[in-house]
Amino acid sequence: ERYDEDSMVEEIVGFDIGIFPPPFNEEEYIGRGAQKAVLYMQGGVPPVALNLGDCAREIVDGVTGMLVRTPEEWETKIASLVQSAELRR
């Protein structure tokens, strides 16, 4: 089965939360991370992303998504989104 842009968009709009964890290479994340976050936001899905690089500029923490730095923040902010449909909107 082919995975193309249309398939990706269909998949994203079915998400409740868009989690984009950092790869092993933070340099790659600095440039590419925001691309995925913006796709999530365009699909009406709140992204949870590392507070670094373009993600830190594109996401308004607590408004258009969640920015995190520590393992505890990943857990706390994802849990808050899971528990609150209003916050996800």
Side-chain angles (χ1 to χ4, degrees), residues 3 5 9 11 17 28-30 33 45-46 54 56 59 70 74 79:
Y3 188 76
E5 187 175 336
V9 170
E11 186 176 64
I17 302 168
E28 182 180 343
Y29 194 90
I30 288 170
V45 177
D54 288 342
I59 298 170
T70 66
W74 281 100

Side-chain angles (χ1 to χ4, degrees), residues 29-31 34 50-58:
Y29 194 90
I30 288 170
L50 191 61
N51 190 357
L52 184 67
D54 288 342
C55 285
R57 288 184 282 281
E58 294 293 332

Side-chain angles (χ1 to χ4, degrees), residues 30-39 41-42 47 49-61 63-67:
I30 288 170
R32 287 190 46 224
Q35 293 172 338
K36 188 64 91 173
V38 168
L39 287 171
M41 289 186 289
Q42 288 174 337
L50 191 61
N51 190 357
L52 184 67
D54 288 342
C55 285
R57 288 184 282 281
E58 294 293 332
I59 298 170
V60 179
D61 189 39
V63 178
T64 60
M66 298 289 191
L67 293 169

Side-chain angles (χ1 to χ4, degrees), residues 6 10 24 26 28 34-35 50 59 62 70 83-84 88-89:
D6 290 336
E10 286 178 32
F24 293 110
E26 282 190 359
E28 182 180 343
Q35 293 172 338
L50 191 61
I59 298 170
T70 66
Q83 295 168 1
S84 174
R88 288 192 305 271
R89 280 189 289 280

Side-chain angles (χ1 to χ4, degrees), residues 2 13 15 17 19-20 27 41 43 57 59 77 81 85:
R2 209 170 117 178
V13 297
F15 291 174
I17 302 168
I19 300 171
F20 191 60
E27 291 297 318
M41 289 186 289
R57 288 184 282 281
I59 298 170
K77 290 188 175 187
L81 286 167

